[in-house]
Amino acid sequence: MASQDDDKSHPQVRHETERNPYSSASRWRHQESSSFHRHAGQEHGQAREPVTTGTTAPLASFLNSNRAEADGDDANAAGQHQPINVAAGPGQLDDGRGQAVAPDGKDIVCGPLLNYRRMDEARWYGSVLIVAKGGGHQVLYQPSLILKRVGQARQLASAPAHGTGADQSTQFESRRLYSDPRVTFWAFDIAVPLEPDEIKYEYHVPGMRISSEHKPRVNAFFVPAADESMRLMFHSCNGFSVGTDEDAYSGAPLWNDVMRKHAHAPFHVMIGGGDQIYNDGIRVDGPLRAWTEIANPKKRRDYPFPETLRAECDDYYLQNYIRWYDSKPFAIANGQIPQLNIWDDHDIIDGFGSYVDHFMRCDVFRGIGGTAHKYYMLFQQHMAPPPSTYTSDYLDSDGEAPGPDPQQLIDTFVAEPRPDQQYIVGTEPGPYVAEHSYNIYSRLGARVALVGIDARTERTRHQVNYPETYDLIFKRLRSELGAAASSRRPIKHLILLLGIPIAYPRLTWLENVLRSPIIGPVKFLHRRFGLGGGLFNHFDGSVDLLDDLDDHYTARTHKTERAELMLQLQDIATEFSVRVTILGGDVHLAALGRFYSNPKLKVPVEEDNRYMANIISSAIVNKPPPQAVANLLARRNKIHHLNHDTDETLLDFFDKDPGDANKTANHNKCTMPSRNFATLTENSPTAPVVQANGDAPAASQDGALETFLGRNGHSQLHKGEVGAGTKHKAASSETHGRGNDGSLDICINVEINQHDPEGKTQGYGLTVPALRCETRASSTTSATSR
């Protein structure tokens, strides 16, 4: 019999004509029946894995909801998810033939993964992570990393691949973050000096065997010149919802386009806006399947999370991370473009944090919240996890763990926590993930900085983050921006990283319907007779879409918190004359929202501290919503009022559909239901000028200079929005970021054809001007939004 490792490239796929007779006829159904799952599991083998390349039927996602299950026989197609063999004994692994083999610690099962952390005036700081097979208390083999300075990027463009060979190599030793009999996580903290020119570096881990043929043995990355800002790539929703026909979407081809653009003009960092991995399959084909199929919500809420179930869930998250982060073409990018990530619900499980409080506090949700956090810290932050996670077996009289669980520490090593100074750590643990939030501040080159808000650890249905966490974030921001202002490289652009859009069409009318008394009788009929099964989620029995709606900053439950956050950002912009630009994902389509001063105030955007673009880029992998949903959202694109001084709306950004596609109605120029990612580049003041859209003064039809004063958001608000779309200079790789006025070029790269495995994209561009305003004390404008 061949080992599991030998069979990795040969997944077993069921014949397409075998159909589950219990499959729902509705393409909109959220959860199949228990009869469907019994038939799938007992009569036709194992159900399909959470992400595969097998054939499945296409399912529609209503209003960006992504919890649709596979229907019919496709729910049973076997996947490529290969488990890490559990130890046959301390320090031993099963080789797949029943023989216990002692690993030597030199097999890399995932990685190398490259992260960016921060920079100061003199140095760039990052980290590399590898996951090795085998481990426990005993160190089997401690690897080292060799980093080589290859040379100046401009010279290398026309020189041999390895430059002159005169540069010296540096060796970095590893830190063991975590180790149990299955795997060991090793991290390398690397630092290099900033130089007058952009520099290319190569690295490898000698003496180690990389299990994947497609993963490069030698990886490379680029560090910007000391007086230049970074070229940024932003993505979100990097995975498929359960039940998606991945073959119909050619897998994850947009990462091929990312690497093509990286080869043309290297990205210095790729920013993950959440859902870097989809772990929802844990309740469909994983250890939570039996729990999910319990029909009674109360019994499901009271279900325990013992050590046996915790261990199974732990293994699921580990396997899923290893499989996805080692999957081509994403695996090519994650070792060569430094990552900087926050997390969102699918990194845990769909809707985590936005279900009703008594259900969120159940043992199972607390358990998987802790387990998902463990692997988020390891894989995405390159940090040691807490020593143990929640189980219902190890609790005191107050229902809390009295300390690290000794059962989980058997033959297991966990390093002491050592947070990098890039983090802004919350003072109190979250309500459902009993850990502290990890918010991020990082400088992204000479004149750009980023603050990323961990909007999942502290989230409930009624709050996104604790007030004390916002206080810490803005205290840190003022400290960093103040220090930069007195240096020779002041920050001119501040990127706010959020998991969810904040300038987005309102769906209050739908919230009101789903919360109204008319839903009550339907819920009763659902509990008694199963009526409306697709309308209600399979967790707490609530209306299925409410967790998605409650997740949004525009939800009525987050109205005050959202307004206060925006006012704080306006104050920051004024105090430090810094332009704030917001990144958000989650909704599986592309759009561009803007906050701006009420036209009655007649403030030019170049001097408007309230003008903030919200780049909505989602998803780089997951399927988009139906065209009808995007068109409905476009119909809801009204001009809203944050307060009497601040308005908001989406920009008519999409002048045409990508390629020759027909993805939107003629009236819809503001939402694009296609996979996409974004690129952002400063028009550096040190660069030679290339005048084009966004740089040259805008002229009206009669040749006179165009004035934008008094316009509302359904019009162009400044010269950088003139010609926004495919013809804008920021949309072309040849002219993107080639100006020199200190503005920020933004391009959303939209997939042209989902059946194209090369993942070619159409660019849509605009330019955000730098802010020129007199610094002054914080404002006290009312935060009453509507």
Side-chain angles (χ1 to χ4, degrees), residues 312-422:
E312 291 174 354
C313 290
D314 186 285
D315 203 53
Y316 179 92
Y317 281 103
L318 173 62
Q319 293 173 16
N320 205 31
Y321 261 104
I322 289 174
R323 179 193 53 78
W324 183 244
Y325 273 68
D326 198 45
S327 293
K328 187 180 179 180
F330 177 48
I332 308 300
N334 61 37
Q336 302 196 43
I337 309 175
Q339 303 170 77
L340 192 158
N341 298 328
I342 61 171
W343 67 339
D344 205 35
D345 58 337
H346 293 281
D347 296 281
I348 311 171
I349 197 171
D350 187 19
F352 189 95
S354 291
Y355 297 109
V356 294
D357 181 74
H358 63 81
F359 185 71
M360 285 300 315
R361 295 184 185 276
C362 76
D363 285 337
V364 170
F365 262 40
R366 292 178 69 184
I368 61 172
T371 306
H373 174 268
K374 169 184 176 178
Y375 288 110
Y376 166 67
M377 296 301 285
L378 284 166
F379 279 96
Q380 298 197 43
Q381 300 300 337
H382 299 188
M383 288 180 59
S388 65
T389 61
Y390 177 90
T391 72
S392 54
D393 289 346
Y394 189 66
L395 300 175
D396 59 21
S397 58
D398 295 325
E400 301 296 334
D405 184 352
Q407 182 70 23
Q408 297 180 43
L409 294 177
I410 295 174
D411 200 15
T412 296
F413 168 84
V414 185
E416 290 293 324
R418 202 174 91 180
D420 189 87
Q421 64 188 62
Q422 76 175 128

Side-chain angles (χ1 to χ4, degrees), residues 144 149 208 325 350 352 600 611 688:
S144 59
R149 181 188 184 279
M208 299 290 286
Y325 273 68
D350 187 19
F352 189 95
K600 295 179 180 179
Y611 181 87

Side-chain angles (χ1 to χ4, degrees), residues 30 67 295 297 300-301 354-360 461 514-515 519 522-523 526-527 531-548 550:
H30 156 63
R67 294 181 298 280
R300 197 180 308 115
R301 186 174 68 243
S354 291
Y355 297 109
V356 294
D357 181 74
H358 63 81
F359 185 71
M360 285 300 315
R461 203 164 193 165
L514 297 180
R515 297 184 193 277
I519 292 295
V522 181
K523 291 183 71 174
H526 169 68
R527 288 195 301 268
L531 181 69
L535 181 63
F536 301 94
N537 71 61
H538 209 61
F539 284 156
D540 64 353
S542 298
V543 178
D544 190 35
L545 291 174
L546 276 177
D547 72 290
D548 274 351
D550 286 340

Side-chain angles (χ1 to χ4, degrees), residues 597-615:
S597 285
N598 189 312
K600 295 179 180 179
L601 299 177
K602 296 188 181 299
V603 180
V605 164
E606 290 78 8
E607 302 172 12
D608 186 6
N609 69 310
R610 301 181 186 92
Y611 181 87
M612 302 178 193
N614 184 184
I615 298 125

